[in-house]
C-alpha cells in the first residue's frame, strides 16, 4: 500500500515539476491550469498524510511555509557589487576606452542585457537542490528569504540534468520581477479588498519578498530572470554568454532579449532598439547592462571597491515632469558639507511622489539660474535621485527670489568656509562640534551596517546630542541606564533594552568598525577589502598610502582619506577611548578561502626582488595586479609571497626568517600559465 502511494507521490512530483517548467520557463504548457491545480491538490493531500514522501524540492513547497519571526542574514561568497551608470553614448565609449587601455587590446566583445527594474537575489544550489535564497542586501550580506523564493514558480527547486553534470555548488543571481499585467491585476485585487495599492511593480516585488509569512508571498505573481553567477564548483564556462546558455539548460529563465558578440558600436545600436522595444515588453526595464563577455578578461579587469570594471548600466533617459520650487533650504551633511535642497510642489514621477530635489552646490544654482518660485523640469536621475534639470524661464512672473548660500552654518552658526572640489566649490562647516555633523556621524556609527545598535533611532540620537550626553563616538558605549531613563519617551524598560543592545554591540568585526567610522570615500566594500588585507586595527592605522593603494579595489582617494583619518590625533584619541573605556572588542571575519577558480594571487600581498629573465619586474607586476594581487616594496610578516629572481639580496634571507613563501621564476611562470 505504502509503496504504491510513494510511487504516486514521486510521479506527481516529477510531472508537476516538468509542467511548471514548461509553463513558466519554456512558455509551452501541455496541460490546463485546472489540471495542474488538481494534480497539485492530490500531491498536497498525499504529503500531508504521508510526510515521509515529501521532498525538499517537491512542488508543494511553492505554497509557502510557516511564518518566520525574523529574517536571518547570510554573507555572499562573492560580493554582489552595484554597477556604474552611463547616461549617454559618450559615457559608454569612455567605458570601452578604459577597458581597451587596461587590457592593451582592441576588439572587445560585449553582452548586452535589458536592465530589469526588479529586486536582485542570489539562489544557492548544492548538488542540484535549492538550499538557500538571499536578497542582495548591502552587497556583502543579504537576508535569507529561501521559503519566499521557493514560491516563485519559475525558480527551479531542483536543477535539470541535460547535457552536463549538475554542479556540486552553484550560486545563481537574478532579478525578481512582477509583470505589468500581473501588477495591474494585483492592485485591482487590493482595491477590491480595501487594501492600499503598490506604487510600482518593483516596490510590489520587494514587499512580497520580505514577507515573514511565505504563504502571502505565494499569492503574489512573482517571476524571475537570471543574469549571473556567484561561486561555482564543478562547472566551467569561458564567457558570460556561455554561462547564461548553461543556466538555461539547468532550468533557469534567461531573458530572451540578451545579445552577445557585440562590438561597442553594436552595443550602441542595440541600445536604440531596446529603447523602442521598452514599452512593448511585459515587464519594466530602465536601461541596458553592458558586460565584457570573456570571463578571463573580466577577471583581468577586476573590480573597484563598489563596482566591477567590466560592466556598466546604460540607463534610459529619465522621466521629466514640471513643478514649482516653493523654497530652497540648506542641509549639513555628516562631513560638514552644505547641500542646497529644493522644496517642490509634490509631483508623481514614475510612480513615486517627489517633493524634494538636490541642487548639489552654489555653482550649479548660479549656472542654471535657479530661483525660489521658479517652474522647473525635474527628473529622477537613473530613475532614483530627484534632480532639477532646468528652469522654465517662459513661466517666470518676475517675483522669483534669487538664492544665496548662507555665510554661517544653519545649525551651529559658525562661519562657513568655501572649499574647491575638483572643478566646483562646496561650502563646509569646519566646527567639529557642530550638532548636525555629530548627529549624522552618530546615526551612521550605530546604523545596521555599522555597530547595529537597536533602539538608537533618529529621535533618540538627536536628544542625546542635544543633551550633550554624546559628544563623540566613544560616548555611545558609556551611556548609563539611569540617565537614559530621564530622556523624553524613554522609560526604564526602554533604557534597559538600549543599554543591553549597546553591550551586545561591543563585539564588532573589523570590517564593520572601519565602515562605522565614516571615513570619506570608505563605504562597506572598501572597509571589507581593507579588513581582509590587514588582520588588526593597528595594522590599518599604521598603513601608508602605498600599502592601501596596493589593495585590489582601493583607489587613491580612499587610501588618502584613510591615511588622513588615522593621522588625526583627535580621531586616534576617540578610537582609544572606544576600545579602552568603552570596552569594544574587534574581531576579524577575514575569509580564508580564495576565489572559486582557485587563483592563488587574488588579494595576496606580494613583494618582487632580484632580476627576472623571462619578463621584467614591471611586466610581472602588471600581470599579478590583473590577477588581484597587491604589490608592495616592503617585506613584512603580512607578505604572502616573495617572488625572487637572480641576486635577490637581503629580502630573500628576511623572507626565510619570517617564514614567507618564496617563489622562484620557474614556479611563478608555471602558476601564471594555469591562470592566464
Amino acid at each position: 500500500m505504502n509503496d504504491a502511494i510513494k510511487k504516486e507521490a514521486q510521479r506527481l512530483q516529477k510531472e508537476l515539476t516538468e509542467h511548471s517548467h514548461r509553463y513558466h520557463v519554456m512558455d509551452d504548457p501541455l496541460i490546463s491550469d485546472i489540471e495542474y491545480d488538481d494534480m497539485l491538490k492530490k500531491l498536497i493531500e498525499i504529503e500531508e498524510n504521508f510526510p515521509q514522501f515529501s521532498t525538499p524540492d517537491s512542488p508543494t513547497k511553492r505554497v509557502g511555509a510557516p511564518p518566520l519571526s525574523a529574517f536571518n542574514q547570510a554573507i555572499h561568497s562573492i560580493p554582489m557589487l552595484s554597477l556604474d551608470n552611463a547616461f549617454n553614448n559618450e559615457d559608454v565609449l569612455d567605458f570601452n576606452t578604459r577597458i581597451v587601455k587596461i587590457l592593451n587590446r582592441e576588439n572587445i566583445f560585449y553582452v548586452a542585457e535589458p536592465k530589469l527594474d526588479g529586486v536582485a537575489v542570489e539562489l544557492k544550489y548544492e548538488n542540484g537542490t535549492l538550499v538557500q535564497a538571499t536578497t542582495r542586501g548591502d552587497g556583502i550580506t543579504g537576508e535569507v528569504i529561501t521559503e519566499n523564493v521557493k514560491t516563485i514558480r519559475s525558480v527551479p527547486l531542483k536543477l535539470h540534468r541535460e547535457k552536463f553534470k549538475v554542479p556540486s555548488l552553484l550560486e545563481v543571481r537574478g532579478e525578481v520581477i512582477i509583470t505589468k499585467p500581473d501588477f495591474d491585476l494585483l492592485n485591482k485585487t487590493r482595491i477590491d479588498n480595501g487594501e492600499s495599492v503598490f506604487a510600482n511593480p518593483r516596490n510590489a516585488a520587494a514587499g512580497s519578498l520580505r514577507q515573514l509569512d511565505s504563504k502571502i508571498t505565494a499569492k503574489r505573481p512573482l517571476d524571475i530572470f537570471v543574469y549571473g553567477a556567484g561561486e561555482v564548483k564543478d562547472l566551467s564556462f569561458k564567457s558570460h554568454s556561455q554561462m547564461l546558455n548553461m543556466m538555461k539548460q539547468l532550468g533557469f529563465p534567461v531573458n530572451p532579449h540578451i545579445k552577445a558578440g557585440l562590438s561597442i558600436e553594436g552595443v550602441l545600436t542595440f541600445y536604440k532598439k531596446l529603447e523602442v522595444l521598452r514599452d512593448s515588453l511585459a515587464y519594466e526595464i530602465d536601461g541596458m547592462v553592458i558586460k565584457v563577455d570573456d570571463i578571463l578578461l573580466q577577471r583581468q579587469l577586476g573590480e573597484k571597491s563598489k563596482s566591477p570594471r567590466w560592466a556598466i548600466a546604460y540607463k534610459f533617459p529619465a522621466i521629466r515632469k514640471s513643478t514649482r520650487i516653493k523654497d530652497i533650504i540648506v542641509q549639513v551633511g555628516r562631513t560638514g558639507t552644505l547641500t542646497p535642497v529644493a522644496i517642490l510642489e509634490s509631483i508623481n514621477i514614475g510612480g513615486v511622489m517627489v517633493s524634494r530635489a538636490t541642487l548639489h552646490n552654489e555653482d550649479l544654482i548660479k549656472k542654471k539660474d535657479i530661483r525660489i518660485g521658479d517652474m522647473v523640469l525635474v527628473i529622477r536621475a537613473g530613475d532614483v535621485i530627484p534632480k532639477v534639470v532646468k528652469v522654465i524661464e517662459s513661466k517666470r512672473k518676475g517675483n522669483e527670489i534669487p538664492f544665496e548660500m548662507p555665510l554661517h552654518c544653519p545649525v551651529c552658526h559658525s562661519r562657513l568656509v568655501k572649499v574647491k572640489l575638483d572643478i566646483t566649490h562646496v561650502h563646509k562647516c569646519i566646527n567639529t562640534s557642530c550638532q548636525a555633523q555629530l548627529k549624522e556621524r552618530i546615526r551612521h556609527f550605530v546604523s545596521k551596517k555599522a555597530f547595529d545598535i537597536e533602539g538608537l533611532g533618529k529621535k533618540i540620537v538627536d536628544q542625546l546630542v542635544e543633551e550633550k550626553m554624546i559628544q563623540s563616538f566613544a560616548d555611545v558605549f558609556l551611556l548609563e541606564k539611569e540617565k537614559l531613563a530621564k530622556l523624553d519617551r524613554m522609560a526604564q524598560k526602554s533604557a534597559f533594552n538600549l543599554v543591553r543592545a549597546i553591550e551586545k554591540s561591543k563585539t564588532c568585526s573589523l570590517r564593520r568598525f572601519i565602515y562605522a567610522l565614516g571615513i570619506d570615500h570608505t563605504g562597506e566594500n572598501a572597509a571589507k577589502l581593507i579588513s581582509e588585507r590587514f588582520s588588526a586595527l593597528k595594522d590599518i592605522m599604521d598603513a601608508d598610502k602605498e600599502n592601501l593603494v596596493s589593495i585590489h579595489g582601493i583607489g587613491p582617494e580612499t587610501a588618502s582619506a584613510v591615511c588622513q583619518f588615522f593621522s588625526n590625533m583627535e580621531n586616534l584619541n576617540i578610537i582609544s577611548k572606544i576600545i579602552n573605556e568603552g570596552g569594544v572588542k574587534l574581531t576579524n571575519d577575514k575569509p580564508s578561502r580564495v576565489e572559486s577558480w582557485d587563483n592563488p594571487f587574488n588579494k595576496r600581498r606580494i613583494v618582487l626582488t632580484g632580476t627576472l629573465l623571462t619578463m621584467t619586474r614591471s611586466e610581472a607586476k602588471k600581470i599579478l595586479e590583473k590577477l588581484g594581487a597587491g604589490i608592495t616594496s616592503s617585506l613584512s610578516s603580512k607578505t604572502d609571497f616573495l617572488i625572487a629572481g637572480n641576486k635577490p639580496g637581503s629580502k630573500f634571507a628576511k623572507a626565510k626568517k619570517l617564514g614567507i613563501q618564496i617563489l622562484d621564476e620557474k614556479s611563478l611562470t608555471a602558476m601564471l600559465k594555469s591562470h592566464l
Side-chain angles (χ1 to χ4, degrees), residues 15 18-20 22-23 27-33 35-36:
E15 290 186 13
E18 180 61 26
H19 286 310
S20 183
R22 293 190 72 92
Y23 182 90
D27 196 22
D28 183 26
L30 295 179
I31 62 174
S32 68
D33 290 351
E35 289 173 294
Y36 182 92

Side-chain angles (χ1 to χ4, degrees), residues 158-212:
K158 200 170 189 68
L159 300 181
H160 286 226
R161 289 173 168 83
E162 291 193 5
K163 296 181 180 178
F164 44 83
K165 180 185 174 184
V166 167
S168 60
L169 175 66
L170 176 64
E171 293 176 347
V172 180
R173 289 163 180 187
E175 197 87 357
V176 173
I177 61 169
I178 293 179
T179 65
K180 296 173 188 175
D182 283 340
F183 176 71
D184 292 340
L185 185 60
L186 175 63
N187 267 350
K188 183 179 183 302
T189 303
R190 291 179 70 84
I191 291 169
D192 292 344
N193 294 336
E195 299 173 303
S196 60
V197 297
F198 290 107
N200 51 56
R202 187 189 185 284
N203 286 3
S208 300
L209 282 176
R210 295 202 75 257
Q211 292 291 329
L212 291 171

Side-chain angles (χ1 to χ4, degrees), residues 26 180 297 347 375 490 500 527 578 593:
M26 298 176 67
K180 296 173 188 175
L297 296 184
I347 187 78
M375 284 295 292
M490 180 70 78
R500 186 171 61 180
I578 289 171
R593 67 165 192 86

Side-chain angles (χ1 to χ4, degrees), residues 514 517 519 537 540-541 562-568 572 575:
I514 297 299
L517 294 174
I519 304 169
L537 177 61
I540 299 174
M541 293 166 73
V562 171
C563 288
Q564 287 171 7
F565 184 90
F566 289 118
S567 65
N568 182 287
L572 297 181
I575 290 170

Side-chain angles (χ1 to χ4, degrees), residues 635-651:
L635 199 71
S636 74
S637 59
K638 305 299 178 188
T639 303
D640 296 297
F641 294 112
L642 174 72
I643 295 172
N646 287 342
K647 299 180 181 178
S650 60
K651 287 181 181 176

Side-chain angles (χ1 to χ4, degrees), residues 281-449:
L281 294 175
Y283 42 83
E284 298 282 0
I285 64 172
D286 57 2
M288 180 176 80
V289 177
I290 307 161
K291 299 174 182 175
V292 172
D293 196 15
D294 190 296
I295 298 293
L296 181 57
L297 296 184
Q298 287 184 9
R299 289 170 178 159
Q300 289 178 7
L301 288 163
E303 297 84 25
K304 297 181 286 184
S305 62
K306 294 181 181 178
S307 58
R309 292 191 178 90
W310 45 267
I312 197 167
Y314 189 178
K315 304 300 266 311
F316 289 139
I319 302 169
R320 299 184 174 202
K321 290 286 186 73
S322 62
T323 188
R324 192 175 299 282
I325 295 179
K326 297 194 296 183
D327 197 4
I328 297 176
I329 64 170
V330 175
Q331 293 181 338
V332 184
R334 179 162 48 88
T335 59
T337 301
L338 272 68
T339 303
V341 176
I343 306 300
L344 310 170
E345 290 180 354
S346 293
I347 187 78
N348 188 312
I349 305 179
V352 175
M353 294 304 295
V354 172
S355 58
R356 290 182 172 221
T358 178
L359 297 176
H360 298 291
N361 53 61
E362 185 184 41
D363 290 354
L364 181 140
I365 293 173
K366 287 183 176 178
K367 182 179 179 182
K368 295 185 176 181
D369 190 22
I370 297 170
R371 305 177 187 181
I372 298 168
D374 270 334
M375 284 295 292
V376 292
L377 278 179
V378 179
I379 64 169
R380 287 174 61 217
D383 287 339
V384 178
I385 304 166
K387 177 181 175 183
V388 172
V389 180
K390 62 177 290 188
V391 172
I392 306 173
E393 293 187 15
S394 60
K395 294 194 176 182
R396 276 190 172 158
K397 299 176 180 178
N399 58 350
E400 292 79 13
I401 305 169
F403 174 76
E404 295 289 338
M405 285 292 288
L407 298 175
H408 297 85
C409 173
V411 177
C412 70
H413 309 296
S414 60
R415 192 166 183 85
L416 300 175
V417 295
K418 198 171 183 178
V419 180
K420 193 174 192 318
L421 187 67
D422 296 326
I423 59 172
T424 188
H425 296 83
V426 296
H427 288 73
K428 297 197 78 167
C429 171
I430 59 172
N431 176 12
T432 56
S433 300
C434 175
Q435 286 196 347
Q437 293 179 61
L438 185 56
K439 287 176 182 177
E440 289 296 326
R441 287 181 181 275
I442 297 298
R443 285 180 202 135
H444 176 82
F445 187 76
V446 303
S447 66
K448 191 171 185 63
K449 297 169 187 176

Side-chain angles (χ1 to χ4, degrees), residues 61-250:
K61 299 298 184 286
R62 298 195 185 278
V63 300
L68 302 171
S69 58
F71 290 115
N72 292 324
Q73 292 191 329
I75 295 175
H76 300 297
S77 302
I78 299 171
M80 293 182 71
L81 301 177
S82 56
L83 295 177
D84 285 341
N85 290 327
F87 296 101
N88 51 53
N89 285 359
E90 187 178 341
D91 290 344
V92 176
L93 293 172
D94 287 345
F95 163 72
N96 178 68
T97 300
R98 289 193 297 271
I99 287 173
V100 168
K101 185 177 180 181
I102 293 171
L103 296 176
N104 193 26
R105 59 177 285 174
E106 302 284 343
N107 302 320
I108 307 297
F109 292 102
Y110 296 97
V111 175
E113 309 170 0
K115 186 178 181 301
L116 300 163
D117 191 14
V119 182
V121 296
E122 182 173 74
L123 315 177
K124 183 177 182 180
Y125 291 81
E126 292 180 354
N127 299 314
T129 301
L130 178 65
V131 296
Q132 181 176 277
T134 53
T135 62
R136 179 183 176 275
D138 59 13
I140 298 169
T141 303
E143 291 182 315
V144 178
I145 52 168
T146 311
E147 299 306 326
N148 289 345
V149 166
K150 281 182 177 179
T151 69
I152 304 173
R153 294 178 182 262
S154 50
V155 171
L157 303 181
K158 200 170 189 68
L159 300 181
H160 286 226
R161 289 173 168 83
E162 291 193 5
K163 296 181 180 178
F164 44 83
K165 180 185 174 184
V166 167
S168 60
L169 175 66
L170 176 64
E171 293 176 347
V172 180
R173 289 163 180 187
E175 197 87 357
V176 173
I177 61 169
I178 293 179
T179 65
K180 296 173 188 175
D182 283 340
F183 176 71
D184 292 340
L185 185 60
L186 175 63
N187 267 350
K188 183 179 183 302
T189 303
R190 291 179 70 84
I191 291 169
D192 292 344
N193 294 336
E195 299 173 303
S196 60
V197 297
F198 290 107
N200 51 56
R202 187 189 185 284
N203 286 3
S208 300
L209 282 176
R210 295 202 75 257
Q211 292 291 329
L212 291 171
D213 186 350
S214 58
K215 288 184 172 63
I216 297 175
T217 308
K219 296 176 183 177
R220 304 279 173 81
L222 298 175
D223 210 336
I224 192 172
F225 283 117
V226 303
Y227 60 76
E231 189 171 12
V232 182
K233 291 181 181 176
D234 308 321
L235 187 67
S236 61
F237 30 82
K238 293 183 178 179
S239 67
H240 182 76
S241 51
Q242 183 189 16
M243 179 270 293
L244 289 176
N245 185 49
M246 287 182 174
M247 294 296 182
K248 198 171 183 179
Q249 293 179 59
L250 287 168

